[in-house]
């Protein structure tokens, strides 16, 4: 017998007569096992896939479906003999059929052979002709079926285009004009299809129509998606204009270059983001619009290109627009699922790096932070394997932003920053060179090496003058204020008032820079609090100060400064753990200090445990923008309060 899922699910005997599979649930169980490609599917997974809210006797119902299917597919099996097709295996079930007996598997195998050798064209023709409609067409509600349907449809489109390319490469293909014209009309966002249609027109002696087709493709992509055509289409247009005779593009169906020409909307958004200021706000808006437009096309590869093109270096571990970051992460994850594990490695790496970079919002919860960390490492591994320095720099940017998993990791971040800087210097990636310098500035600041941090600040400023990165001098002004604050405790150093004035000037410059609310809000009050703690003074109590996201960890000290210890104790014991970002050491130190002042031993013990690995670092130094002094001071207070050695 054979099973077909490229259309409605059905089973046929060797003589072509249909097998009565039973009701919709029976067919869905069979289809789910087909999708597993011979692997065992656990009973629990089958139950979850069959029912959004499994009934009480779901496992019993599943066993009933399996028993009925076994009778249907092996009607002549003697009683009490084990089944040979739908078998029990471990904690679940598996379908044991040769791949040639399942139409979806025959199609995938034929496509794989045709990718390797043109001689497999006949098999690919037959496999494409076997499609009777959307895959798993009668399993409409199941999430697993939607994923498989999307995956197989993308492969069908690839197969259609591969078949056309093989015919054109063989010297024929003029007869494909009508077929490819219909294909482009139905799937206007697939760049390979436009190129194939243009080649077919050229093969038919219609050079003017071929050029007009490429112009239509360019207009459609630019006007509706803000993307210039990829390198293959641009090269094809040049070949036709110059009268090339072969017009054979690279032997690949996937677009392998995820970077675009300078006139695209995505590239413009990227350029605006690098410029900073108001342009940064506009760039985010344009980027999200392009992403949504790409998703509406249904073209997975195009969507991956649009998402991955925005490889803007990111330094701050908190997203300025968490809602947009979540939207980008969700779109990237959907696209990764649609591409599958065997999709183009460069596109997958860019999508994974995007997940890592955009997941830095402190609002993410559940398993999202862990997924983001894994995405960062997978992107790095893919980029190293591909040998693409720009892609590796972007992937390492994600690794850096996912390296705030606990206090005390400044030295490791410096290693990442050093590699980004080395890559950027050797391969002329000036924007990533700026990122590398700023990461190393932050790391040296956290480690208390202010001379090294100052050298990185100066180098970053020199690069910024060339790249027109206006945000850099704003950030380095904060660093210089942080240095002034640290040295205000030294004999003969600047006064605390001078340090406060430097913080105020840096804050005014940051306030004038649009598009970075996640960085600006609450930063100045936190810097003032750190300065006061350096000089043994209470927290500032000015009600006009906006503590922003730092309020839960600063309020206990503000309330103590107002002589309200009971409220301070409540604020301390109800404060959450600090988020995993640049400020975590600083916020844990505030918690430790307040706990010591209030004699809250359990809180002090938690703070001491968190800070122990960072005892050689500077509180707040990881930001490169402020300091509360040595972590060791606050750790000692917490340990003394908790009676810990």
């Amino acid at each position: 017998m054979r099973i077909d899922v490229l259309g409605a699910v059905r089973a046929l005997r060797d003589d072509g007569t249909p097998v009565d599979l039973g009701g919709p649930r029976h067919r869905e169980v069979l289809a789910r096992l087909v999708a597993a490609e011979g692997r065992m599917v656990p009973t629990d997974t089958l139950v979850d896939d069959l029912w959004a809210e499994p009934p009480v006797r779901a496992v019993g119902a599943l066993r009933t479906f399996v028993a009925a299917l076994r009778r249907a597919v092996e009607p002549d099996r003697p009683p009490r003999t084990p089944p040979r097709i739908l078998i029990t295996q471990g904690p679940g079930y598996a379908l044991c059929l040769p791949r040639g007996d399942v139409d979806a598997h025959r199609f995938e195998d034929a496509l794989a052979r045709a990718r390797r050798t043109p001689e497999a064209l006949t098999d690919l023709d037959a496999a494409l002709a076997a499609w009777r409609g959307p895959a798993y067409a009668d399993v409409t509600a199941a999430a697993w079926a939607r994923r498989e349907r999307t995956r197989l449809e993308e492969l069908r489109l690839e197969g259609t285009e591969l078949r056309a390319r093989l015919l054109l490469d063989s010297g024929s293909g003029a007869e494909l004009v009508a077929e490819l014209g219909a294909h482009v009309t139905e799937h206007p966002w697939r760049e390979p299809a436009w190129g194939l249609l243009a080649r077919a027109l050229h093969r038919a002696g219609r050079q003017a129509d071929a050029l007009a087709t490429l112009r239509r493709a360019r207009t459609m992509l630019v006007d509706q998606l803000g993307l210039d055509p990829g390198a293959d289409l641009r090269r094809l247009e040049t070949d036709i204009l110059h009268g090339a005779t072969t017009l054979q593009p690279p032997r690949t169906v996937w677009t392998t270059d995820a970077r675009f020409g300078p006139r695209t909307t995505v590239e413009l958004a990227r350029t605006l983001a690098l410029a900073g200021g108001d342009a940064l706000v506009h760039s985010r808006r344009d980027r999200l619009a392009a992403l949504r437009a790409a998703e509406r096309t249904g073209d997975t590869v195009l969507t991956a290109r649009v998402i991955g093109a925005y490889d803007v270096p990111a330094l701050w571990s908190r997203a300025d627009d968490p809602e947009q970051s979540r939207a980008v992460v969700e779109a990237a994850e959907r696209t990764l699922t649609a591409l599958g594990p065997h999709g183009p490695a460069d596109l997958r790496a860019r999508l994974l790096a995007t997940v890592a970079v955009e997941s830095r919002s402190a609002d993410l919860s559940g398993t999202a932070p862990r997924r983001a960390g894994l995405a960062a490492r997978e992107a790095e591994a893919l980029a190293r394997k591909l040998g693409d320095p720009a892609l590796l720099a972007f992937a390492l940017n994600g690794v850096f932003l996912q390296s705030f998993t606990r206090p005390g990791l400044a030295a490791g971040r410096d290693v990442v920053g050093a590699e980004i800087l080395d890559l950027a210097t050797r391969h002329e990636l000036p924007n990533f060179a700026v990122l590398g310098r700023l990461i190393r500035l932050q790391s040296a600041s956290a480690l208390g090496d202010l001379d090294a941090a100052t050298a990185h600040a100066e180098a970053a400023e020199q690069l910024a003058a060339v790249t027109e990165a206006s945000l850099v001098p704003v950030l380095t002004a904060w660093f210089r204020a942080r240095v002034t604050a640290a040295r205000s405790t030294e004999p003969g150093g600047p006064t605390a008032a001078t340090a406060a004035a430097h913080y105020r000037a840096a804050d005014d410059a940051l306030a004038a820079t649009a598009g970075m609310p996640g960085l600006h809000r609450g930063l100045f009050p936190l810097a003032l609090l750190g300065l006061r703690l350096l000089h043994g003074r209470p927290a500032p109590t000015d009600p006009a100060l906006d503590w922003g996201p730092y309020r839960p960890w600063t309020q206990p000290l503000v309330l103590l400064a107002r002589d309200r210890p009971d409220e301070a104790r409540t604020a301390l014991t109800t404060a959450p753990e600090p988020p995993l970002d640049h400020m975590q050491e600083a916020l844990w130190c505030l918690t430790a200090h307040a706990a010591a002042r209030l004699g809250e031993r359990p809180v002090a013990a938690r703070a001491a445990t968190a800070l122990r690995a960072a005892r050689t670092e500077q509180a707040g130094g990881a930001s490169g923008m402020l300091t509360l002094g040595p972590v060791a001071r606050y750790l000692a207070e917490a340990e003394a309060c908790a009676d810990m050695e």
Side-chain angles (χ1 to χ4, degrees):
M1 61 167 283
R2 74 172 194 265
I3 297 175
D4 295 341
V5 296
L6 300 180
V9 178
R10 69 182 184 183
L12 302 173
R13 298 185 181 89
D14 290 342
D15 61 4
T17 58
V19 175
D20 182 4
L21 295 174
R25 290 294 192 195
H26 298 76
R27 290 196 300 278
E28 186 173 349
V29 171
L30 184 65
R32 178 64 183 85
L33 294 173
V34 166
E37 300 191 52
R39 295 184 298 274
M40 183 271 291
V41 182
T43 298
D44 291 346
T45 300
L46 285 168
V47 167
D48 290 341
D49 286 342
L50 284 171
W51 291 281
E53 296 182 7
V56 175
R57 296 183 177 84
V59 173
L62 174 61
R63 288 173 179 157
T64 300
F65 299 151
V66 169
L69 283 169
R70 283 171 169 164
R71 289 192 295 271
V73 299
E74 292 187 72
D76 300 326
R77 178 167 57 89
R80 291 180 295 282
T81 59
R84 293 178 295 107
I85 295 177
L86 204 171
I87 66 170
T88 300
Q89 191 176 85
Y93 302 100
L95 190 66
C96 293
L97 278 177
R99 287 183 65 81
D101 290 344
V102 178
D103 62 349
H105 301 164
R106 286 198 306 276
F107 166 70
E108 291 188 71
D109 292 346
L111 178 59
R113 287 192 297 273
R115 288 187 187 122
R116 294 192 300 269
T117 173
E119 287 71 31
L121 179 59
T122 302
D123 288 346
L124 180 59
D125 263 334
L128 285 167
W131 282 72
R132 297 169 291 110
Y136 303 98
D138 50 348
V139 187
T140 56
W144 71 264
R146 289 196 298 272
R147 290 192 297 271
E148 275 295 288
R149 196 155 39 242
T150 298
R151 183 183 71 84
L152 287 167
E153 176 62 15
E154 179 63 33
L155 291 178
R156 185 185 72 81
L157 295 175
E158 181 189 341
T160 299
E161 291 160 6
L162 177 58
R163 171 182 172 273
R165 181 170 65 74
L166 291 175
L167 287 170
L168 287 163
D169 287 355
S170 70
S172 60
E175 71 281 2
L176 294 172
V177 169
E179 178 184 332
L180 287 170
H183 181 67
V184 163
T185 299
E186 187 176 358
H187 306 285
W189 314 108
R190 295 186 67 84
E191 290 187 47
W194 286 98
L196 291 164
L197 176 57
R199 288 185 68 200
L201 287 164
H202 184 269
R203 181 63 49 80
R206 297 164 59 181
Q207 181 178 5
D209 288 340
L211 291 171
T213 292
L214 294 173
R215 285 194 293 271
R216 281 169 51 211
R218 177 183 293 276
T219 300
M220 183 271 301
L221 289 168
V222 170
D223 289 352
Q224 298 191 38
L225 285 180
L227 285 176
D228 273 346
D232 285 353
L233 285 191
R234 297 198 300 271
R235 182 167 50 249
L236 179 59
E237 184 173 19
T238 300
D239 287 347
I240 293 175
L241 283 169
H242 292 167
T245 57
T246 57
L247 299 179
Q248 293 190 18
R251 196 169 279 280
T252 177
V253 176
W254 298 101
T255 300
T256 58
D257 185 0
R259 289 165 290 177
F260 312 113
R263 294 188 301 278
T264 68
T265 295
V266 176
E267 180 66 16
L268 178 60
R270 181 179 181 277
T271 303
L272 290 173
L274 293 167
D278 292 328
L280 183 59
V281 179
H282 294 301
S283 81
R284 291 173 179 149
R285 178 199 62 201
D286 294 343
R287 178 212 191 172
L288 196 57
L291 186 160
R292 287 171 173 163
E295 279 207 293
R296 285 194 295 271
T297 70
D299 187 328
T300 303
V301 172
L302 178 65
T303 302
R305 288 178 59 203
V306 169
I307 294 172
Y310 195 87
D311 54 352
V312 176
L315 180 72
W316 192 237
S317 57
R318 185 183 306 113
D320 291 310
D321 188 343
E323 185 176 346
Q324 184 187 107
S325 291
R326 281 193 294 273
V328 172
V329 169
E330 289 165 2
E333 290 181 333
R334 285 193 299 270
T335 308
L336 278 165
T337 299
L339 280 179
H342 303 298
D346 61 326
L347 293 183
R348 292 188 65 248
R350 284 185 173 272
L351 289 170
L352 288 162
T354 298
V355 169
V357 169
E358 294 295 337
S359 292
R360 65 193 189 277
S361 170
D363 292 344
L364 293 176
S365 58
T367 61
R370 181 173 179 274
R371 290 203 313 273
L374 293 173
R377 290 301 179 185
E378 187 176 353
E380 179 192 3
L382 285 170
R384 291 191 189 282
K385 186 175 180 180
L386 289 166
D388 183 334
L391 180 54
L392 180 55
F394 183 39
L396 288 171
N397 193 174
V399 171
F400 162 70
L401 289 168
Q402 294 303 318
S403 67
F404 293 84
T405 52
R406 62 170 177 82
L409 297 175
R413 287 194 290 274
D414 189 55
V415 172
V416 175
E419 183 171 9
I420 292 174
L421 180 58
D422 176 63
L423 281 168
T425 302
R426 287 190 292 113
H427 298 283
E428 298 182 354
L429 305 169
N431 294 309
F432 279 102
V434 172
L435 175 67
R437 286 292 183 187
L438 292 175
I439 291 173
R440 300 208 68 190
L441 179 159
Q442 290 178 340
S443 303
S445 169
L447 295 169
D449 188 347
L450 297 185
D451 291 338
T454 299
H456 289 304
E458 291 171 351
E461 289 165 345
Q462 291 171 6
L463 284 167
V466 176
T467 61
E468 299 182 354
S470 60
L471 290 176
V472 171
V474 175
L475 299 177
T476 55
W478 270 96
F479 167 69
R480 296 181 196 286
R482 172 257 189 275
V483 173
T484 304
R487 290 181 171 153
S488 69
T489 62
E490 299 173 357
T495 65
T498 298
H502 284 199
Y503 274 139
R504 171 63 75 183
D507 186 60
D508 290 343
L510 184 57
T513 304
M516 299 192 73
L519 176 60
H520 177 251
R521 189 161 177 250
L523 188 61
F524 177 63
L526 185 61
L528 284 186
L529 173 55
L531 182 61
R532 285 175 171 258
L533 291 174
L534 286 175
H535 290 271
R537 298 178 60 193
T541 57
D542 183 350
L545 289 174
D546 178 9
W547 293 95
Y550 309 116
R551 184 179 183 84
W553 301 277
T554 57
Q555 273 305 101
L557 294 174
V558 172
L559 290 166
L560 279 171
R562 292 174 177 165
D563 198 23
R564 292 154 63 178
D566 292 340
E567 293 174 61
R569 192 181 310 279
T570 299
L572 175 66
T573 56
T574 57
E577 288 196 355
L580 304 178
D581 63 18
H582 284 72
M583 293 298 185
Q584 60 182 312
E585 288 91 351
L587 302 185
W588 273 119
C589 286
L590 294 179
T591 300
H593 186 58
R597 292 274 309 275
L598 291 163
E600 282 292 329
R601 294 176 61 186
V603 179
R606 287 202 307 274
T609 299
L611 289 172
R612 194 162 290 112
R615 69 166 65 244
T616 61
E617 295 185 12
Q618 300 290 305
S623 68
M625 305 178 83
L626 56 85
T627 180
L628 281 64
V631 169
R633 164 192 166 187
Y634 300 94
L635 175 60
E637 287 184 329
E639 289 180 334
C641 176
D643 290 330
M644 298 172 66
E645 295 296 332

